[in-house]
Amino acid sequence: MKDKIFNILLFAAALAVLLLTAGVLYALVGKSLEVFSEYGVWGFVSNSEWDPRSATEEYGALSFIMGTLYTAFFALFLCIPFSLPVALFTGEYFKGKRVASVVSSIVDLLAGIPSIVYGLWGFYALRPVVISLGVNAQGFGVFLASVVLAVMIIPYASSLSAEFISMVPNNLKEGAYSLGATRSEVIQRVSLPFARSGIVASYILALGRALGETMAVTMLIGNTNNIPDGLRGTGNTMASIIANQFGEADGLKLSALIAIGLLLFIITALINLIAKLIMKKLSAV
Amino acid sequence: MKKATLCFLILTFLFSCNNKSDTDKESSGGITISGAGATFPYPYYNIVFRDYMRLNSDVVVNYGAIGSGGGIRSLRDRSVDFGASDAFLTEKELASMNAPVIHIPTCMGGIVMAYTLSGVDSLRLTGPLISAIYLGKITRWNDYRIVAINPNVKLPDLEITPVYRSDGSGTTFNFSDYLCDVSPEWEKIMGKGKALKWNAGIAAKGNPGVAGLIQQTEGAIGYIGSEYSLTLGLPAAQLKNKAGNFVSVSLASISAAAKIPLPDDMRTTITNVDSPEAYPMSLFTWLLVYEELNDGKRTLAEAKELVNLLKYIISPEGQQVAAKINYAPLSEEAVKKTRKLIGKLTYDGEILSPYTEEETDQVSSDIDTLSIKDTLHNER
């Protein structure tokens, strides 16, 4: 009897989560209909104008979609040279050793730092460096935001890929050693190919994380409503435009911001789905 | 089983959240007044509300500095008791509020062009120059047009980084209102509003955000409330007013700007007025309240407390605080008109706090002497 009640409660809790997700989606779609019916879905997504002045009001999401893609992919690119070695270090070279657990827990610690702290670090410590590198005059922009984002997603990418690398069967590696392969050859020819799809999946998850990051990016990207002029330029991401302008928005602008939220929701959901599919394929092997 | 109980508790909590706020209000004896809006007068409100809470220990006043645009929206959503804005509501906005809204001016202030430029302590600017900087037409500090009016200042060969507000802002409204007045080019390309479509520069949220960004960036310039530039020790440019004089922001120069005929509803801008002493980017800042305070949720006691708070702000005690932190107190005429406005507030159609004819006309002489007492700007 007790078991039955427990089952029912668990079922109810699970259902509640589903309902909650459906509710979020429903609210997002419902509130963004206004802007989609004004410009059409494609018209909204492909327009880079963002003009809040009441006389010439016009909203398009392209600048922010581009800003999001620029920062997220550049951050992903920057994070690979740091997270992959960490993953190999903890998952292969020093697997099970004390030093590996120390390194991996320190890297995991990076994931626990609140994003506002990253924002402050970027603002006060990293920005002067970016200025002295001559990226641009005031330091803010896609480049600075991406560097901070890269640091933020390192733990997500590295701990999951370390997991997959450590899952490579020993007999495969031993086979390679017995054929006279050196350690780096084993890693290149055996470990990495075997764990490849898992590593790809973990980077896709890290990308999903970078896409939605708000606070740190808002503090560092410059908050200008235009398609970023390359890595040196300033811009706004989908998350940061919402953070900046949601407070006072109403009417069509509110609808436009919610529509951007919906697009971000869809993009992140798709990315997670792709990562899941890749991992599923892997576990089936 | 413990887990099950916990789940159940959480669920009950979730479902009961809806009613929570109502019961809270009834059970506690104290009164909470909440407001949200402009960041420009936040340093002033911070102190004046604190003083009010000290005088009335059973009242709590909350103020969220979320920007003027946010304040207007919160008032319309009826999620706050008063909104705060540095831009008065346009006719269109008034119509969208569903019920009559009254503007209660609380003080005046000046928007300064604050900058960070090592070795440059004093700088003169004109409206057309500011316009050109924000339009991206002047991009370097040693541009001949800036040098021409600053012959004694050594300006570096450095890129100018204009900083503006990323959120909807009354400060932006007054800034653009001024520039529309002095620069036809600005009026044509940018126009005026709480949010604009910018061509150059970078953006930050709220007056504090812009101020912090200017402070941390060599070569940056931006428009912020004068109190923010003082707190961060940022130098502010002298601006050329309509009469052709370069003036810095001070109690006297802001007060001079308000010596114009004021409308009865107090919805007016005081940018770029004729007076030779006036600071050109001066502004009124308002608290916004619905004329009819019974919205179905507010009790009579709460409505009365709100009116008391408004009366306190425009009283000599309240206005004195403004003067101390570089906002200018309301002029005698403004206080008289504001008293009439507060007298309009009703609950269930009944006027809450009529000022008598005498009270309306009699204004403590304190305020006048205050507005003459000058320039904290230089003292600091």
Side-chain angles (χ1 to χ4, degrees), chain A residues 2 5-6 9-10 12-13 16 48-54 57 123-124 127 131 136-140 218-219 221-226 234 236 241-251 253-254, chain B residues 1 3-5 7-8 11 66-74 76 92 159 161 164 166-169 188-193 195-198 200-205 209 212-213 215-218:
Chain A
K2 243 182 177 178
I5 296 173
F6 190 54
L9 278 170
L10 280 184
S48 66
E49 281 288 306
W50 184 270
D51 187 347
R53 292 174 297 183
S54 55
E57 208 175 23
F123 192 96
Y124 287 106
R127 195 164 66 94
I131 294 173
N136 55 18
Q138 82 295 6
F140 294 102
T218 309
M219 290 171 78
I221 198 166
N223 302 317
T224 56
N225 304 331
N226 53 287
T234 56
N236 237 338
I241 182 78
I242 297 174
N244 270 313
Q245 309 208 332
F246 191 72
E248 81 273 4
D250 54 47
K253 187 176 179 184
L254 181 64
Chain B
M1 197 56 212
K3 272 188 191 165
T5 328
C7 281
F8 181 67
L11 282 177
I66 58 172
S68 298
I72 295 167
R73 181 177 149 199
S74 303
R76 177 168 45 218
K92 197 178 149 201
E159 195 174 310
T161 303
Y164 57 89
S166 64
D167 51 338
S169 150
K188 197 169 138 244
I189 301 175
M190 303 290 283
K192 68 176 156 186
L196 302 171
K197 185 174 181 292
W198 300 88
I202 51 175
K205 201 172 157 104
L213 214 157
Q215 192 197 26
Q216 292 298 322
T217 310
E218 179 72 19

Side-chain angles (χ1 to χ4, degrees), chain A residues 257-279:
Chain A
L257 289 174
I258 291 175
I260 290 174
L262 177 67
L263 291 174
L264 188 59
F265 184 100
I266 292 170
I267 293 176
T268 338
L270 275 179
I271 288 208
N272 276 307
L273 190 73
I274 293 169
K276 285 255 168 67
L277 284 177
I278 293 174
M279 276 196 280

Side-chain angles (χ1 to χ4, degrees), chain B residues 54-99:
Chain B
R54 279 191 188 152
L55 292 171
N56 305 276
S57 54
D58 57 336
V59 181
V60 176
V61 185
N62 296 321
Y63 182 72
I66 58 172
S68 298
I72 295 167
R73 181 177 149 199
S74 303
L75 183 70
R76 177 168 45 218
D77 296 346
R78 306 248 181 192
S79 57
V80 291
D81 295 305
F82 62 84
S85 176
D86 310 324
F88 60 80
L89 300 186
T90 60
E91 294 299 331
K92 197 178 149 201
E93 281 172 320
L94 274 177
S96 76
M97 300 298 281
N98 304 321

